[in-house]
Each structure stands twice: as C-alpha cells, then as structure tokens.
Amino acid sequence: MPRTSVVESPGCPPLRALTTDILGLVKVVEARTNPAGAAKVVETWGEPDASRAIVAASLADRAADPVLAVARKNGVVELLNPLNGDALAAVKNVGPAPDDGGAEGDPLVALHLFTRQASDSMLGTFIACTDKGKASMRSIMKENAASGSDAGPSTMWDVCSSGNVQFCSVDRGESYAMFGGKGIEVNLWDIASCSKTWSAKSVRLYDTALQRRPAISVDFREAPIKAVAADPNGHDVYIGTGTGDLASFDMRTGKLLGCYIGKCSGSIRSIVRHPELPLIASCGLDSYLRIWDTNTRQLLSAVFLKQHLTTVVIDSHFSVEEPVETNSKQPEFLVEAEAEIRKEKKKSKTIEEDEAEAAVQKEKKKKKSKTVEEDEAEVWKEKKKKKSKTIEQDEELVGVVDDNNSEGEMYASKEKKKKKKKKSRTTEEDKERDSDGELCTTKRRKSGERSKCMKKSKKQHIA
C-alpha cells in the first residue's frame, strides 16, 4: 500500500495551475476564493490516449499572448493557448529522423519554451531534447503555424554520446541551457552558438570558476532526486525524491532548511515555484497536485487528478477579478451570452446601489423637511398664542368692542355696571365710619354689625 498522510489543509490564495499526465490530458486547476480556498479542476483539454502521453511541458508566462508547449511521447511538440486550450501549432518529428528508429526508440524527455519574443510575428521558440541527447531548437512564425514540420529555422546538436538525458534547464536570462541525466556529465551550453562551455559530474553543486572541484555537496536521504526547482531569491532550491520526499536547501551553505509537511505517496516528477507568491506546486506518480507554503512548509491544498502526472506549470498572471476564458469547444453564442449576463449583472448591481443611495438621500431630506415644518409650526403656534394673549389684554384695558357686535355691547355694559357698583361701594364704605374712624367692613355687615354702625351714623347725624 502507498504511504499517505492526512494533513489538514487551510486552503490556498487565488491560483491557476496546469498539469499534464500520461494519457495526454491537460487539466486546469484553480483556487478562486480570496483570501484562501480549496483548489479544484475547472477544465480538461484533450482526449485520453496513452500514445500521446505528455512527457514534458513549458509555459511562456507572459501577460500578453502566453503560450503553453507540450512534448508528447510520439515526438510531436504542440503549442497551445493556456487560457482556453486552443491548438496554435504542432511540430512533428522534433527528435531523430524516422529512419533512426523514430520517437519510440528515442522519445522526447525535455522541453523549454522561451518567454522572450524576438518579434510580434513569431509564435514561439523552444528547445527540445530526446533521451539519447539529440537537442534541437525551433522558432515558429505565426504565418507558418499551420504547416507543422517545416515551421521556422531549426538547429540540432548532440548533447552527449552515451547515457540517457533526463532533464534540461535554462537560466533566467535564457542564454544558457544545462543538460544532465543517467550516465552522462552535466553539460552547460551557449544557446546562441550551440557550443558547450562547461561540463562536470552530476549530483553536486559546482562553481564553474573552480573547474571540476565541487563547491558544495548535498546529501538527502537515499532515494534519487527526481525534480529540482530554484527560488527567485537565487540561493534556495526545492528538491523532490523518488520516494515522495520534498525539501528545501540553502545552496550557499548546503544547509537543509526543512522538509515539507504532508508526505507524498509516490515519486515527485515536477516542482514549480510561483514567481510572486510564497508558494510551490508539486506533482508526481501519486496523481496528486499539491500546493505548499514556502514560509511554513505546510500543505495548503491537494487535488486528486486520477492519472500519473508528469509536469505542472503556474499561470502567475491569473486574477479572480478577470473573466476566465472558456474552452474553445464551447459554442460562441454561449460565450457571448455569458459575457452579456455578467455585464447585465454588473449593470444591475450598479443600478441597485444607485437606487439605495437615492433612497437614503430622500429619507434624509424627508426627515430634514419634517423637522423644519415642526419648527415652523411651533413658532407659528407660539406667535398665535402671544397675539391672542395681547388681544385679550387690550380688550380688558380698553373695554370697548365693535358697535355692531351685540355680545360686545353686553360685555361693555357689564363692565360699566361693575365699575359703577364698585364706585358706589367705595362711597358707601367711606360713609360708614363711626366717630372714632372705625370702618364698617363687609364682614361686619354680614355678621350683624351693620345695623350697629348705621345706628352710630344716625346718632352722629342728629347730633
């Protein structure tokens, strides 16, 4: 039974990776949730065919006009559109001539597609190498893309005279190519002149200035190393072994930085480092694509892809905000309909936001208007109250109303009677005083003292 380890995966940031397998399929894996989510297969290109197994792949990772090159077991190199899987060109018989045994006796094992473009009319330039060391470089023009085998100039040379080539690596400046494998020395070639500049024994780090003496020797367990990837920092490397071990080394000191958490159950055949995010992707014979965090060396996501995997590449220009192009086999009207639906959704969302904003503004305006009306009503009520009070006071002081108003006449008459009665009472009170100046008040009159006062008054009068 294969070894497996269950590791909890926290998910990975937005990512797009393309894998190839032994049945000739290209599968697109995406993680679209931000900030972290599970990666899953979104598209599959091609039909399963073991005779067209993909042995190597290379991506010209450009923001404009990217191209994916795949080398198949039958000796054909195909150029594909990595956004939708469209076939752009196919170059046949890249390896040996048909009379030399063909692709079956000397299959392709390595491929590199150049990122830089010599001109806008060129579709792509690639280097391919066979198992027996037959290397070739071809450039495909856009106008000759459909012609296949006769596309563009071709250069061929022998990397080795014996042994088996297992890998090809091109430097970041794409000026030199290195080949290595079983039973052969590591060779460094100048691409422009197709000439060998340096060679040495494999499995060690060499400084070309020191000739054949190794600068650093790194030992990592007992299984052979099957995949190597360099870090953009220029001094860290990631290695995968035939038993599924994945680790990183600092090549300045040869120190092991650490092993990655989450054991793979099969040989690792490809490792790629994301140029911007702290991530690496690995795949191999256990049929899993795994995404790892280079800082914590923890497994972020694992996707089971059914077939044995040969290569993985990363589209570093992928963004979840951009619309993903659909498979070319999908009808054109469906693509247009989907684009129209997205456009309508975006427009509808904008309209809804505008309406919500207008409703908020209307509500604010309504509240403000209501407050102003309440203030004005309060002021008007206060003014009316003051005015009414002033009128009442004036009427009481003047005591006159309109002659035509009968109620006013009655009111004035009553006021006159009151004043007259008050005056009479005052006069009467002045008279009702005794000789000692005692005043006969109303209380006294009510208590029976009025008669007494009147008697006194009469006596005084007689006297």
Side-chain angles (χ1 to χ4, degrees):
M1 294 294 291
R3 295 181 298 166
T4 58
S5 297
V6 179
V7 179
E8 209 175 306
S9 301
C12 61
L15 180 77
R16 185 170 190 263
L18 292 86
T19 64
T20 62
D21 59 39
I22 60 171
L23 291 183
L25 302 176
V26 178
K27 295 182 179 179
V28 182
V29 178
E30 291 182 0
R32 301 185 63 83
T33 307
N34 202 349
K40 61 182 181 180
V41 180
V42 295
E43 289 183 82
T44 300
W45 304 332
E47 297 295 332
D49 184 356
S51 65
R52 300 181 71 249
I54 299 175
V55 296
S58 180
L59 175 67
D61 190 19
R62 299 186 290 256
D65 298 327
V67 178
L68 173 68
V70 295
R72 298 189 181 273
K73 184 179 178 181
N74 57 8
V76 176
V77 173
E78 293 181 1
L79 301 186
L80 308 174
N81 185 337
L83 302 179
N84 54 25
D86 285 348
L88 304 177
V91 181
K92 301 177 182 179
N93 300 325
V94 171
D99 56 0
D100 292 338
E104 294 183 1
D106 192 11
L108 289 170
V109 294
L111 178 69
H112 176 81
L113 180 64
F114 288 88
T115 302
R116 66 173 185 261
Q117 285 179 299
S119 64
D120 294 336
S121 60
M122 185 174 292
L123 186 60
T125 301
F126 64 86
I127 292 178
C129 187
T130 67
D131 178 74
K132 294 181 179 179
K134 305 294 182 180
S136 63
M137 184 170 65
R138 295 204 179 195
S139 296
I140 303 175
M141 309 301 290
K142 291 181 179 179
E143 57 184 8
N144 297 327
S147 62
S149 60
D150 297 330
S154 175
T155 303
M156 301 187 68
W157 70 96
D158 290 330
V159 172
C160 61
S161 57
S162 62
N164 303 102
V165 175
Q166 294 179 328
F167 75 90
C168 169
S169 178
V170 177
D171 72 316
R172 190 174 300 178
E174 297 185 324
S175 299
Y176 299 93
M178 182 176 285
F179 302 89
K182 185 178 181 180
I184 64 173
E185 295 181 339
V186 175
N187 300 299
L188 183 65
W189 294 76
D190 187 324
I191 295 174
S193 61
C194 295
S195 59
K196 184 167 64 173
T197 61
W198 181 85
S199 64
K201 291 182 179 180
S202 57
V203 306
R204 290 181 176 88
L205 174 69
Y206 288 87
D207 186 343
T208 55
L210 300 176
Q211 298 302 320
R212 301 178 65 87
R213 183 163 57 88
I216 294 175
S217 178
V218 175
D219 294 325
F220 182 65
R221 301 183 180 176
E222 297 179 357
I225 295 173
K226 294 293 185 178
V228 179
D231 192 275
N233 63 20
H235 48 75
D236 292 347
V237 296
Y238 308 93
I239 63 171
T241 70
T243 55
D245 295 306
L246 182 63
S248 59
F249 284 84
D250 186 342
M251 299 310 292
R252 296 172 297 181
T253 61
K255 181 181 178 182
L256 173 65
L257 298 177
C259 296
Y260 281 74
I261 303 170
K263 187 74 176 179
C264 301
S265 58
S267 175
I268 297 175
R269 293 303 174 90
S270 179
I271 303 172
V272 62
R273 171 66 158 83
H274 196 288
E276 297 174 0
L277 300 177
L279 304 173
I280 61 171
S282 69
C283 69
L285 301 186
D286 65 351
S287 305
Y288 272 92
L289 168 67
R290 290 180 170 86
I291 311 297
W292 312 81
D293 187 334
T294 59
N295 293 328
T296 62
R297 291 186 288 278
Q298 183 179 7
L299 179 66
L300 299 180
S301 188
V303 186
F304 181 65
L305 299 176
K306 299 182 181 179
Q307 287 81 30
H308 294 336
L309 303 176
T310 56
T311 315
V312 57
V313 294
I314 290 179
D315 178 6
S316 64
H317 298 283
F318 170 73
S319 173
V320 293
E321 297 177 358
E322 298 175 357
V324 179
E325 293 189 24
T326 56
N327 196 319
S328 60
K329 294 184 179 180
Q330 189 175 11
E332 187 176 351
F333 72 91
L334 290 180
V335 178
E336 294 177 355
E338 185 178 354
E340 189 66 26
I341 290 171
R342 290 180 180 176
K343 186 177 180 181
E344 287 297 327
K345 284 183 178 180
K346 188 175 181 180
K347 184 178 179 181
S348 176
K349 186 177 179 181
T350 305
I351 291 173
E352 288 176 1
E353 291 175 352
D354 293 342
E355 289 178 351
E357 183 66 22
V360 171
Q361 294 296 334
K362 187 177 180 180
E363 188 66 24
K364 287 183 179 179
K365 190 175 180 181
K366 188 176 179 180
K367 287 182 179 179
K368 186 176 180 181
S369 176
K370 187 176 180 181
T371 305
V372 172
E373 289 177 359
E374 290 176 352
D375 293 342
E376 289 179 351
E378 188 67 26
V379 171
W380 174 252
K381 188 176 179 181
E382 189 66 26
K383 285 183 178 180
K384 189 174 181 181
K385 188 175 180 181
K386 288 182 179 180
K387 186 176 180 181
S388 176
K389 189 175 181 181
T390 304
I391 292 172
E392 289 177 359
Q393 290 175 352
D394 292 343
E395 288 178 349
E396 289 178 359
L397 292 173
V398 176
V400 292
V401 294
D402 190 359
D403 293 338
N404 297 327
N405 192 337
S406 59
E407 292 181 2
E409 290 178 356
M410 292 175 65
Y411 178 80
S413 176
K414 287 181 181 180
E415 288 295 324
K416 286 180 180 180
K417 287 181 180 180
K418 284 182 181 180
K419 287 182 180 181
K420 188 174 181 181
K421 190 174 181 180
K422 188 176 181 181
K423 185 176 181 182
S424 174
R425 186 183 297 168
T426 303
T427 305
E428 188 176 346
E429 287 176 355
D430 291 340
K431 290 180 179 181
E432 292 176 353
R433 293 179 182 273
D434 56 8
S435 58
D436 296 330
E438 184 180 357
L439 178 64
C440 295
T441 63
T442 306
K443 285 185 178 181
R444 288 178 177 177
R445 287 196 298 272
K446 286 183 179 180
S447 61
E449 294 180 2
R450 182 179 178 184
S451 58
K452 187 177 179 180
C453 291
M454 291 295 290
K455 288 178 180 179
K456 275 187 180 184
S457 178
K458 286 182 179 178
K459 286 180 180 182
Q460 290 175 358
H461 182 68
I462 295 171

